[in-house]
Amino acid sequence: MSKIMHMRGFLTSCPGVSPLAACSIGVTFATVLALAPAAPATAATTATVRGEAAVPGSTRSLPLVPLSRERVPGGAPEQGLYRTGLGRFSLVGVVWGDPGTELRGQVRVRTRSAVTGQWSGWQDVEAHHADHGADPDTAEGSSRRVRGGTAPLWVGDSDGVDVRVRAAGPGGGDGTGGPPGKRAGGPGASLPPGLRLELVDPGGGAGRVTGEGLPAKPRGDDPPRTALDTEAALAASAANADITAFGAAAIPELDRSATEQELTRLKGPVRGKPYIGPRPRIVTRRGWGADESLRERGFVYTKKIKAAFVHHTATGNAYTCAQAPSVIRSIYRYHVKSMGWRDLGYNFLVDKCGTLYEGRAGGVAKAVLGAHTLGFNTNTMGIAVIGTYGATKPSSAAVKAIARLTAWKLGLYGVDPSGKTYLTSGGGNLYPKGKNVRLNVISGHRDGFATECPGKRLYAKLGTARSSAAGYQGR
């Protein structure tokens, strides 16, 4: 059962907080809030604290239109949009009103570089994204704000777009290899009503690239650090104050001895040998430049962490590691502003260089309820490798990062990453609601839902991640 904790309650009390939460966090947050009164922030605001600018960003939503006024007998309906001279954007996706309706068909897009003016080739956008999201019957999953949508696609610094959405023909498959869901129409081909193109600018600017694919302003720390000038920003940083300095841009790694001492401090004395991997370095939300004004207030927790689901973001692989924070800011904005979720869906993200990032707010050591594996978000965490790994092999650095993260986080809850566990389904296309399912502690998204995620090449590496994680724990 999940538990929501709003910020003002966070300041005044600790009962009901996740077991790893320390009461001192609320004290820290209250002190900082008293010293730095909150100021209202918007996407266009660039308020500064200690010379640090808030990261602006934007989302433009444009309705798609029919591409032909005449219906061709036997032909599939098609919608699209061609626009140039737009404000800059770096990520695209298509959304529609009813989250219960699937888009059966193909979504393709090409974009014009804002640097060179040249058009890209056509790229496919993953149309099946309903397998990500909050569990049915939860407050987040049943919210009227939630929409259906494709996976987002990272396209780099662009100012023009050409998109085509074509319905599958009668009886056409969806390409997932799983059982069919609710069709977007009757016996013939059709598309969900209310299709809109989402154009996302992550803000920050440092992640923009030149026509040669090189960073316009090369630097290792892409995002400006977001200012601690709002209650939401203070709360997000305070949620990690039990394991790192308040306002840190990154949680530093620890050696085994220091990690075991931290485990004792957080959970009390451990009987026998503590099986936990050394804590890895994790870039915080402040570090990657999260605009905390976007998400819903408060944090939602589950009871514990019993398993980890591995995903790929399906955003494509055309990003540099310096751009990863910009990609994350874009996914965050797409999940919240376009899909209607309360926050970024994943609990953690990993880039191709193996850098780990905090995802959904609430504290990296805590059991934060995510929206990553429909039906299996309770008592689990979601880890997304940035990129698309159906045909592309994930980097060894990314696989190692998964192993290190799971060795530490599962170790906090006494879980063996090489073992199996039972999870109760919240409802999905593989397991009905209430079914008790035995799964690997480190599973792929496709183990809980009929989907291609995390891509067959990444899925094939999960055995390596399991054995490596167990080794990091000293098993």
Side-chain angles (χ1 to χ4, degrees):
M1 182 177 180
S2 63
K3 180 171 293 186
I4 185 167
M5 185 169 68
H6 288 288
M7 296 172 196
R8 296 198 182 279
F10 190 56
L11 292 174
T12 58
S13 64
C14 294
V17 179
S18 171
L20 288 178
C23 291
S24 59
I25 301 176
V27 176
T28 301
F29 184 24
T31 301
V32 175
L33 187 60
L35 294 175
T42 66
T45 299
T46 54
T48 59
V49 172
R50 299 175 189 169
E52 297 174 335
V55 179
S58 65
T59 301
R60 178 174 294 185
S61 184
L62 304 173
L64 300 189
V65 297
L67 296 181
S68 175
R69 294 188 178 184
E70 297 181 3
R71 290 295 301 272
V72 178
E78 188 173 11
Q79 293 185 26
L81 189 70
Y82 175 89
R83 291 284 295 272
T84 59
L86 296 165
R88 295 192 176 198
F89 61 92
S90 296
L91 180 138
V92 302
V94 173
V95 301
W96 53 93
D98 181 5
T101 299
E102 294 184 25
L103 194 163
R104 299 283 183 173
Q106 184 182 51
V107 181
R108 307 198 76 198
V109 66
R110 65 186 184 119
T111 53
R112 190 178 74 173
S113 169
V115 178
T116 68
Q118 299 297 310
W119 285 90
S120 71
W122 287 97
Q123 299 184 76
D124 289 320
V125 179
E126 175 55 59
H128 307 283
H129 200 54
D131 46 359
H132 297 72
D135 288 351
D137 301 328
T138 62
E140 181 176 6
S142 59
S143 169
R144 292 184 178 181
R145 295 187 300 275
V146 176
R147 305 177 186 90
T150 68
L153 178 68
W154 176 260
V155 294
D157 196 11
S158 306
D159 65 1
V161 65
D162 191 1
V163 63
R164 298 286 185 269
V165 181
R166 184 176 177 83
D174 62 3
T176 65
K182 180 179 176 182
R183 291 190 59 84
S190 64
L191 292 170
L195 292 176
R196 301 185 70 87
L197 175 66
E198 303 289 294
L199 305 175
V200 180
D201 173 17
R208 302 194 188 283
V209 294
T210 65
E212 291 72 37
L214 300 174
K217 296 181 180 179
R219 48 187 288 187
D221 55 343
D222 166 73
R225 306 305 178 202
T226 49
L228 294 173
D229 62 348
T230 67
E231 184 176 302
L234 291 167
S237 285
N240 287 314
D242 52 349
I243 63 170
T244 194
F246 181 84
I251 297 166
E253 64 179 328
L254 297 178
D255 61 21
R256 180 174 298 278
S257 176
T259 301
E260 291 176 354
Q261 292 175 23
E262 180 179 78
L263 175 64
T264 300
R265 177 174 59 80
L266 293 172
K267 301 202 71 172
V270 178
R271 294 182 180 180
K273 176 180 172 60
Y275 292 105
I276 186 169
R279 188 182 75 193
R281 179 180 181 272
I282 303 171
V283 177
T284 64
R285 289 172 64 92
R286 187 172 186 232
W288 55 259
D291 179 355
E292 300 294 352
S293 69
L294 295 179
R295 64 175 175 83
E296 286 189 24
R297 294 181 58 195
F299 312 121
V300 183
Y301 296 103
T302 185
K303 290 183 178 179
K304 57 184 130 180
I305 298 297
K306 297 175 63 178
F309 282 98
V310 177
H311 305 255
H312 66 174
T313 59
T315 47
N317 303 311
Y319 72 94
T320 66
C321 292
Q323 288 178 295
S326 288
V327 179
I328 296 171
R329 291 199 299 274
S330 298
I331 297 172
Y332 170 44
R333 180 172 278 274
Y334 185 76
H335 282 181
V336 176
K337 302 295 287 186
S338 301
M339 299 291 293
W341 300 354
R342 64 172 288 114
D343 193 354
L344 181 64
Y346 309 113
N347 298 104
F348 297 93
L349 297 100
V350 185
D351 68 22
K352 63 179 71 174
C353 291
T355 302
L356 289 163
Y357 302 87
E358 177 185 15
R360 180 164 289 208
V364 299
K366 302 178 181 67
V368 179
L369 181 68
H372 49 83
T373 306
L374 188 69
F376 289 100
N377 291 304
T378 298
N379 295 334
T380 69
M381 64 177 180
I383 307 167
V385 181
I386 302 171
T388 304
Y389 297 100
T392 301
K393 181 180 177 181
S395 68
S396 58
V399 176
K400 180 179 179 180
I402 293 170
R404 292 197 64 197
L405 174 63
T406 51
W408 170 70
K409 183 66 179 279
L410 293 171
L412 290 175
Y413 293 86
V415 178
D416 180 358
S418 62
K420 292 182 181 294
T421 190
Y422 282 94
L423 299 172
T424 302
S425 172
N429 66 357
L430 274 183
Y431 304 105
K433 182 178 180 180
K435 183 174 179 59
N436 209 24
V437 183
R438 189 169 185 257
L439 296 171
N440 287 311
V441 166
I442 299 179
S443 284
H445 188 178
R446 63 177 62 184
D447 294 320
F449 198 99
T451 174
E452 291 187 348
C453 183
K456 65 180 181 180
R457 301 298 296 273
L458 177 55
Y459 188 77
K461 291 294 183 180
L462 295 189
T464 299
R466 293 182 194 108
S467 58
S468 296
Y472 286 129
Q473 284 192 348
R475 295 184 184 271

